Amino acid sequence: MPSFTSLTLTPFDPNQGVKKQVSVDGRRALFKPLQCIDEFESSLAPLKLVAKCEWDTLHALVPSLLRCEVEIALEKLNFIWDHTYAWEMFLDMMKCQVSYTFSNTDLPSHFTDATRAILVDWLVKIHEMMHFQDETLYLAIYLLNRTLRLMTVTTANLQLLGIVCLFVAAKKEESFLPEVSDLCYVMDFTYTKQQVLRMERKVLNRLKFDLSYCPPLHFLLLFATVARCSVKVTWMARYLLEVSLLEERCVVFQPVQLAEAALRLARLVLKEPPTAEGEAAWCLVSSLHICNESALLSIMSILADAAATAHTRETCATYLKFSSPETMLVSRHPALMNAYLLLGVQK
């Protein structure tokens, strides 16, 4: 595998009336499994529990306050153009979760977890250098994960595959694109323009030009907005979520589950003083309850362990990215060093 080009990181630019009361027992009753008719995994059911749910009736079961808050948050985050279809968009985001996960963490025999982490770390640097949007990075890593399971790639072409996945993701998410010659430059001209374009055609054909993806970042920002999370909690959650990109173990989880775990761990690490409004808003978000407690703890343990050792790894691009004042120095927070202890997990 060719050596990756060293790059200098640039500063990170962040983007960034209850109608009726429902008792706890009543709220739980609202989220009992629905009548099974459709083929997808219910986002309101525990992890690994596959349900065929009648989503057309979900709007009648979810408390009106939660629906209202979700619609307001989607509009506030500029995820929608028309408030009329906000709730339908949220339902569609939840429906599509199963198609964005992988049944196992198996990789090609020559492509180890360590090799993947090095490649992803390098892509984080390239993404940062080109000032791409965050969605571009998440889509690129998702396309990389899919492509590795759909086509055979030699070790010598792994870097080429990575940059092509980033380039394809940029074509979907960005307004301005780099020239192909720029991509060759960041790879130290290890590959020619013709090789880049040829690999792009192969990748798109294997993906059948299906680039649809709802990144976990969208769920994280949505939940953080509804839960009235502070700016620092949101930055911490974003850091933990991006760290998950380096972890091959996380590909078996749904994006919405990763988002929930990152946000919960961020709150646990920072331990900000609770407020009545904040706790009520968090309770509202928690009513969705995407994961069962065991699965949630499993994801949080992976993230806590990764964050605790991030500063000692060679693959530390994400750690450096979130160690600037613009990101409130969240990756350097001392509580992350022993975050796994907060979960009651012995290392």
Side-chain angles (χ1 to χ4, degrees):
M1 181 175 178
S3 60
F4 292 168
T5 306
S6 298
L7 296 170
T8 302
L9 295 181
T10 54
F12 183 52
D13 181 21
N15 304 325
Q16 306 219 270
V18 181
K19 294 183 179 180
K20 64 176 181 178
Q21 293 184 334
V22 181
S23 65
V24 174
D25 292 337
R27 188 179 65 191
R28 289 174 180 168
L30 294 178
F31 291 93
K32 290 181 179 179
L34 308 178
Q35 183 179 359
C36 297
I37 61 171
D38 293 326
E39 293 289 343
F40 55 83
E41 186 176 37
S42 171
S43 301
L44 304 179
L47 184 64
K48 304 294 185 183
L49 180 61
V50 178
K52 305 170 186 178
C53 303
E54 188 175 5
W55 283 88
D56 289 340
T57 64
L58 182 59
H59 69 277
L61 300 177
V62 177
S64 57
L65 178 59
L66 177 58
R67 173 172 177 170
C68 179
E69 288 292 330
V70 167
E71 291 176 343
I72 293 173
L74 286 171
E75 194 167 27
K76 183 178 180 180
L77 294 167
N78 294 320
F79 287 171
I80 58 172
W81 293 102
D82 190 343
H83 180 81
T84 305
Y85 302 104
W87 184 246
E88 285 70 19
M89 177 182 173
F90 175 70
L91 294 184
D92 187 65
M93 290 169 63
M94 300 297 277
K95 285 180 185 179
C96 299
Q97 290 301 293
V98 176
S99 61
Y100 300 145
T101 60
F102 302 91
S103 58
N104 55 62
T105 60
D106 294 343
L107 289 170
S109 56
H110 63 282
F111 194 58
T112 64
D113 290 351
T115 305
R116 178 186 176 279
I118 292 172
L119 179 57
V120 171
D121 185 72
W122 180 74
L123 289 175
V124 171
K125 295 177 183 179
I126 301 298
H127 169 272
E128 188 69 7
M129 184 189 73
M130 294 186 174
H131 301 285
F132 285 157
Q133 298 183 70
D134 294 319
E135 287 82 356
T136 302
L137 177 62
Y138 283 94
L139 176 58
I141 304 306
Y142 170 67
L143 296 179
L144 175 65
N145 291 333
R146 279 182 61 193
T147 306
L148 285 171
R149 290 162 172 78
L150 293 174
M151 59 186 281
T152 302
V153 182
T154 63
T155 303
N157 286 330
L158 287 177
Q159 188 181 22
L160 177 60
L161 174 63
I163 201 68
V164 164
C165 288
L166 183 62
F167 187 43
V168 170
K171 285 187 173 184
K172 180 175 183 290
E173 299 290 347
E174 304 294 334
S175 300
F176 301 97
L177 295 173
E179 297 290 338
V180 177
S181 58
D182 296 330
L183 303 181
C184 295
Y185 171 76
V186 299
M187 294 186 291
D188 201 21
F189 297 101
T190 304
Y191 309 97
T192 65
K193 291 183 181 180
Q194 290 71 26
Q195 287 177 301
V196 173
L197 296 175
R198 191 180 305 121
M199 178 62 80
E200 182 186 19
R201 287 194 295 270
K202 288 178 62 176
V203 168
L204 288 172
N205 284 327
R206 288 306 179 94
L207 295 175
K208 298 180 180 179
F209 289 82
D210 178 13
L211 306 181
S212 59
Y213 183 58
C214 184
L217 179 62
H218 284 182
F219 288 103
L220 188 152
L221 295 177
L222 177 62
F223 294 159
T225 301
V226 173
R228 311 290 197 276
C229 291
S230 68
V231 175
K232 191 165 187 176
V233 168
T234 302
W235 274 121
M236 178 64 78
R238 291 180 65 165
Y239 167 60
L240 295 170
L241 189 62
E242 191 162 315
V243 165
S244 73
L245 295 177
L246 295 165
E247 300 295 321
E248 177 64 18
R249 293 174 292 174
C250 289
V251 302
V252 299
F253 301 112
Q254 297 177 13
V256 68
Q257 294 162 347
L258 293 171
E260 181 185 12
L263 195 57
R264 284 176 178 264
L265 182 57
R267 284 169 50 90
L268 194 62
V269 168
L270 294 177
K271 293 184 177 179
E272 294 185 343
T275 63
E277 181 185 6
E279 291 304 300
W282 179 252
C283 182
L284 190 63
V285 170
S286 299
S287 65
L288 287 172
H289 204 57
I290 308 304
C291 293
N292 60 39
E293 292 303 319
S294 176
L296 192 63
L297 181 61
S298 177
I299 302 172
M300 292 169 68
S301 297
I302 294 174
L303 300 183
D305 182 60
T309 58
H311 66 290
T312 63
R313 299 183 181 183
E314 293 183 1
T315 53
C316 59
T318 299
Y319 172 81
L320 295 175
K321 178 179 175 180
F322 285 86
S323 64
S324 65
E326 291 83 358
T327 59
M328 305 185 75
L329 308 172
V330 291
S331 66
R332 298 180 182 272
H333 197 284
L336 287 175
M337 300 298 295
N338 298 303
Y340 59 91
L341 294 178
L342 299 174
L343 306 175
V345 177
Q346 295 298 322
K347 207 172 179 182

